[in-house]
Amino acid sequence: MKNKENGKVLNSIESVLQSKYMAAISLLFGFLCWALEWTAIVVCGEALIFILILLFSKDVKNIFAPFFFISFFIPDIRTMTNYVVYYIVVGIALLTLIGVFIYKCVKDRKTITFGRFYKGLLASFVAYLIAGIFNSFYIVNSLMILGFCVGIFIFYFLAVNYTKNIGEYFEELFILSGTIIGLQIFFNYVINGPNSIYFSAQGLNTASLFVVLGIIACFTRAMKSKRDYIYFIFVLILTVFVVVSKSRAGMILTAIVDVAFTIYTFIKSKNKTQMLLVFGVFLLIIAIMLLASEFLREEIQKLVFGKKFGFSGREELWAWSIDRFLEAPIFGYGFFYMDKIPSLREGTHVILTHNTLLQWLTSTGVVGTLIMVVFYLNKYTIIFKKFSREKLFALLCVIALELSGLVDQAANMDIFVVTISILLVASVEKK
């Protein structure tokens, strides 16, 4: 009897942890803790959710909600003074992740697969690990990069072997996360002013990129829904959040996606009247707000026609990066620089060139950049092989991330964004 009762309890726990509502609970809990500044609670809570899913779920895809978005719920790490909670809790979560990975490899060794993307991933790991090897080799830095590589591969391995319907899951997750992060952007603007860049451990440029992923998810869900106009409402709301972020890269990406897919969705829609009504009401609300408030008119003018010109110091950063490449053109300068890096925050010692190609050349040299070609070839071969509309969401998100990499660092240097891009490929493999 006890065995049956224990079995029922475990099944109940597994059902809760695998529920489609678990990701929503994780994100809403994180948002609440962020609003109330409960940093230790959110780190412990999200880590607990992460660990329980790994230990008790056959389908582990809900681990990606706490992993992808925990950085949005903790303060700017430059202002933190007590890292003890981070070290202990995150350390336990990482040990659990590695332990579960080893256990599953041994237990399911006859049925697991290492996926079709493993060659590209291994190639990228080689490029990372040889970066700066003859110029700025430090064992601690190399171990950090190795840990980064191991973590990414474990997440990919779990996504390929121990998830179901992960593509649809990411669509729903990005809509919800885009809305929550958009609200954070809005509240940061209202409370801290337009010049406040860091409302969490992530900056506004990266935050706007996550909102863009939410917009893409809204459009791809709309294409499959009988009530596409509902998703169009979310598109308009998320677009406002991107504008409030003042991220030029985010606004350009949003404009491209909005124009192209609003036209496409409208042409294909059976709810043209409802879509026109939604858009008309949206414009009416904006017009009334503009007429009613001179302050709002001035703020919108600042947002849309701000005083940002040029590349916000990236020219100096790019010139500096080229100099580092010329110092070590074969294997690169590496990913770390112990002195001041132009245009980056004081205390930043990771080389963030804000351009993907320049990042690979500067950090990994000609050899590493050529090795990275294998990564990209493998990546796009998987996406485009037997391409169908079911792969459109993954393709659009990957392209949006790649385009952001022309002027930003997140696409190739933010572990959360890099992992998202890789797991989008995993979602395509499972079609």
Side-chain angles (χ1 to χ4, degrees):
M1 287 294 291
K2 283 187 177 181
N3 288 337
K4 287 185 178 180
E5 289 178 3
N6 291 337
K8 288 181 180 179
V9 171
L10 289 175
N11 288 335
S12 298
I13 292 173
E14 183 180 11
S15 297
V16 171
L17 295 173
Q18 292 183 168
S19 167
K20 64 179 181 179
Y21 301 110
M22 194 67 233
I25 292 170
S26 171
L27 292 178
L28 292 173
F29 170 71
F31 180 73
L32 176 65
C33 291
W34 170 80
L36 298 174
E37 299 183 356
W38 292 347
T39 302
I41 293 175
V42 74
V43 173
C44 294
E46 297 292 354
L48 180 61
I49 292 171
F50 182 88
I51 291 168
L52 290 175
I53 293 168
L54 282 174
L55 293 178
F56 294 105
S57 298
K58 294 184 180 71
D59 183 345
V60 301
K61 61 177 175 284
N62 277 329
I63 63 170
F64 300 125
F67 172 68
F68 288 160
F69 304 108
I70 182 61
S71 60
F72 286 99
F73 305 135
I74 60 177
D76 181 0
I77 56 175
R78 296 294 174 78
T79 64
M80 288 293 294
T81 56
N82 183 9
Y83 289 93
V84 175
V85 173
Y86 283 59
Y87 293 146
I88 295 175
V89 175
V90 174
I92 294 172
L94 289 175
L95 288 174
T96 304
L97 179 68
I98 294 170
V100 168
F101 169 70
I102 295 172
Y103 171 77
K104 288 183 180 295
C105 283
V106 174
K107 176 177 175 289
D108 302 326
R109 59 187 179 278
K110 294 182 180 180
T111 57
I112 58 173
T113 175
F114 288 107
R116 288 187 283 141
F117 198 21
Y118 82 92
K119 293 179 182 178
L121 289 177
L122 291 180
S124 69
F125 298 161
V126 170
Y128 298 156
L129 291 167
I130 66 171
I133 194 165
F134 296 120
N135 185 73
S136 56
F137 176 79
Y138 296 99
I139 186 64
V140 174
N141 293 344
S142 295
L143 289 174
M144 288 172 60
I145 294 171
L146 178 61
F148 171 87
C149 296
V150 171
I152 285 180
F153 186 80
I154 292 176
F155 283 122
Y156 171 74
F157 170 84
L158 293 175
V160 170
N161 289 280
Y162 298 100
T163 66
K164 297 178 182 178
N165 303 319
I166 192 170
E168 291 80 0
Y169 169 78
F170 283 150
E171 283 183 318
E172 295 175 357
L173 181 64
F174 290 165
I175 293 173
L176 179 59
S177 63
T179 303
I180 288 176
I181 294 170
L183 287 171
Q184 289 180 293
I185 292 171
F186 179 77
F187 290 144
N188 176 65
Y189 182 86
V190 171
I191 297 170
N192 300 318
N195 296 320
S196 176
I197 297 175
Y198 290 92
F199 60 83
S200 67
Q202 296 283 15
L204 282 173
N205 284 338
T206 303
S208 70
L209 186 57
F210 277 82
V211 180
V212 171
L213 296 181
I215 291 172
I216 292 171
C218 285
F219 276 119
T220 55
R221 293 290 288 189
M223 293 176 191
K224 299 178 281 188
S225 173
K226 294 180 179 179
R227 297 181 178 179
D228 47 14
Y229 56 91
I230 300 294
Y231 291 101
F232 190 56
I233 294 173
F234 278 95
V235 166
L236 295 174
I237 294 171
L238 295 179
T239 297
V240 171
F241 290 148
V242 174
V243 173
V244 171
S245 77
K246 297 200 302 181
S247 168
R248 287 176 294 174
M251 287 191 281
I252 291 170
L253 286 173
T254 299
I256 294 170
V257 173
D258 278 0
V259 172
F261 285 93
T262 295
I263 294 172
Y264 178 84
T265 305
F266 182 76
I267 292 172
K268 296 291 184 179
S269 177
K270 295 180 180 179
N271 302 300
K272 291 182 173 60
T273 301
Q274 290 90 330
M275 288 192 70
L276 287 172
L277 181 61
V278 167
F279 191 62
V281 169
F282 175 77
L283 292 179
L284 181 62
I285 292 172
I286 296 295
I288 292 172
M289 292 172 68
L290 289 174
L291 290 172
S293 172
E294 181 178 351
F295 172 76
L296 187 60
R297 289 196 297 272
E298 292 176 355
E299 288 299 301
I300 290 179
Q301 186 177 7
K302 290 177 185 177
L303 285 171
V304 180
F305 305 104
K307 295 182 179 179
K308 283 188 176 182
F309 297 102
F311 291 95
S312 299
R314 285 174 176 78
E315 304 96 321
E316 185 182 3
L317 175 61
W318 291 338
W320 179 90
S321 299
I322 290 171
D323 288 340
R324 299 293 78 71
F325 165 67
L326 293 175
E327 283 185 32
I330 307 302
F331 290 100
Y333 194 88
F335 289 101
F336 299 90
Y337 185 77
M338 293 301 107
D339 206 345
K340 176 74 173 72
I341 302 176
S343 300
L344 299 185
R345 300 176 76 192
E346 190 69 38
T348 299
H349 298 298
V350 178
I351 297 175
L352 305 172
T353 68
H354 287 65
N355 177 273
T356 299
L357 178 58
L358 188 54
Q359 183 75 58
W360 300 144
L361 286 172
T362 302
S363 296
T364 70
V366 173
V367 173
T369 302
L370 290 175
I371 293 173
M372 287 300 297
V373 171
V374 177
F375 171 83
Y376 287 103
L377 285 175
N378 194 188
K379 180 179 185 177
Y380 285 105
T381 299
I382 292 170
I383 292 175
F384 283 108
K385 186 175 182 181
K386 296 181 180 179
F387 188 80
S388 66
R389 199 170 77 169
E390 293 300 312
K391 294 184 177 182
L392 184 62
F393 167 69
L395 175 63
L396 291 175
C397 288
V398 167
I399 289 176
L401 294 176
E402 302 282 24
L403 289 175
S404 74
L406 295 174
V407 292
D408 198 13
Q409 56 83 28
N412 48 75
M413 292 298 289
D414 185 299
I415 186 172
F416 307 106
V417 178
V418 170
T419 307
I420 284 174
S421 182
I422 290 168
L423 295 188
L424 285 166
V425 178
S427 74
V428 166
E429 285 191 61
K430 295 176 72 66
K431 295 296 183 184

